[in-house]
Amino acid sequence: MGDNKEQRILHHVQQHAVAGDPQSVLETIDAYCSQKEWAMNVGDKKGQFVDIVVREECPSVLLELGAYCGYSAVRMARLLPPGARLLTIEVNPDYAAITQQMLDFAGLQDKVTVIIGASQDIIPQLKKKYDVDTLDMVFLDHWKERYLPDTLLLEECGLLRKGTVLLADNVIFPGAPDFLAHVRGSSRFECTHFSSYLEYSEVVDGLEKAVYLGAGSPPQP
């Protein structure tokens, strides 16, 4: 069965989902986590908002902070246009290995690069080491206390352009109040909130979409 919950989720997918079918992988994870063991995937309810934003933005270069078991990487990568790529940063090497296997099973390995390391160490390397000019979209779903410092670091490193979309999960529960206060109070971001529920539960949560308007943006009305 596997030594821990994350391995059990992977093995369940490998046994019950359809190889090469990302939608089947997502549905299998959602069913397992709603019926057997809760896990911190973005989940099906909030996942629909993620789908909407990815479809709207059609990003060529997408960064994910926090891969966990690869659920959101599969969810986003399945919607990417041809030639687009997703870079996902995961600090836990065991989770990164599970994410890679999940992507391989879903047939999305060519669209996604799994990077092992801490976000604050990897972000400054993205331009030179990973050939990133600017990012079209960033999905924040790692340690909540890293949301704000990593947003500032992305801006400092010149990785945000006018129109870059930040999409942050769990901004209500467990919450990222300093991040929300910053993006909502800054003239450099235009924010939209998607109210929803914590994955596989009835606890109120939400996603925050913050569009970067550029360093010298006029104050928002």
Side-chain angles (χ1 to χ4, degrees):
M1 282 290 288
D3 300 328
N4 56 43
K5 175 169 62 177
E6 292 72 30
Q7 289 173 322
R8 288 192 292 273
I9 292 169
L10 174 64
H11 293 158
H12 186 79
V13 167
Q14 291 168 334
Q15 290 164 3
H16 297 281
V18 178
D21 182 344
Q23 190 61 38
S24 172
V25 169
L26 295 174
E27 289 170 0
T28 304
I29 296 173
D30 284 333
Y32 184 87
C33 294
S34 58
Q35 296 164 15
K36 296 190 177 182
E37 291 188 277
W38 184 91
M40 56 181 181
N41 311 303
V42 70
D44 51 343
K45 289 179 181 152
K46 287 186 292 182
Q48 292 169 26
F49 293 120
V50 176
D51 290 357
I52 288 167
V53 174
V54 173
R55 285 191 172 110
E56 281 177 351
E57 300 304 324
C58 269
S60 294
V61 185
L62 199 167
L63 175 67
E64 176 181 44
L65 302 178
Y68 189 44
C69 290
Y71 178 94
S72 47
V74 169
R75 185 144 208 139
M76 293 187 291
R78 86 194 203 286
L79 300 176
L80 291 180
R85 61 187 176 128
L86 164 62
L87 303 169
T88 183
I89 299 173
E90 175 54 58
V91 70
N92 183 317
D94 295 330
Y95 293 169
I98 287 171
T99 292
Q100 187 63 63
Q101 291 177 78
M102 199 73 80
L103 291 162
D104 292 348
F105 187 86
L108 294 168
Q109 66 276 9
D110 292 342
K111 287 181 175 281
V112 185
T113 302
V114 180
I115 305 169
I116 302 171
S119 52
Q120 62 267 34
D121 298 330
I122 303 296
I123 286 170
Q125 301 177 23
L126 287 175
K127 282 187 178 280
K128 287 189 175 177
K129 193 170 179 181
Y130 297 96
D131 195 30
V132 174
D133 179 19
T134 55
L135 298 161
D136 299 313
M137 181 174 167
V138 182
F139 183 58
L140 298 91
D141 196 18
H142 57 332
W143 297 109
K144 311 314 157 197
E145 62 268 20
R146 290 298 319 165
Y147 281 20
L148 178 54
D150 283 347
T151 295
L152 298 172
L153 186 58
L154 287 164
E155 187 175 14
E156 183 186 316
C157 292
L159 289 159
L160 305 183
R161 58 157 177 83
K162 187 176 181 181
T164 296
V165 171
L166 307 185
L167 188 63
D169 189 20
N170 303 124
V171 295
I172 304 301
F173 187 90
D178 57 345
F179 168 81
L180 282 186
H182 175 76
V183 294
R184 289 177 178 177
S186 170
S187 62
R188 300 196 301 279
F189 291 95
E190 184 175 33
C191 296
T192 308
H193 186 71
F194 299 99
S195 186
S196 187
Y197 294 92
L198 182 69
E199 45 271 24
Y200 320 118
S201 81
E202 296 304 315
V203 175
V204 173
D205 191 15
L207 294 152
E208 191 80 2
K209 176 185 174 186
V211 181
Y212 187 66
L213 303 176
S217 307
Q220 289 297 293

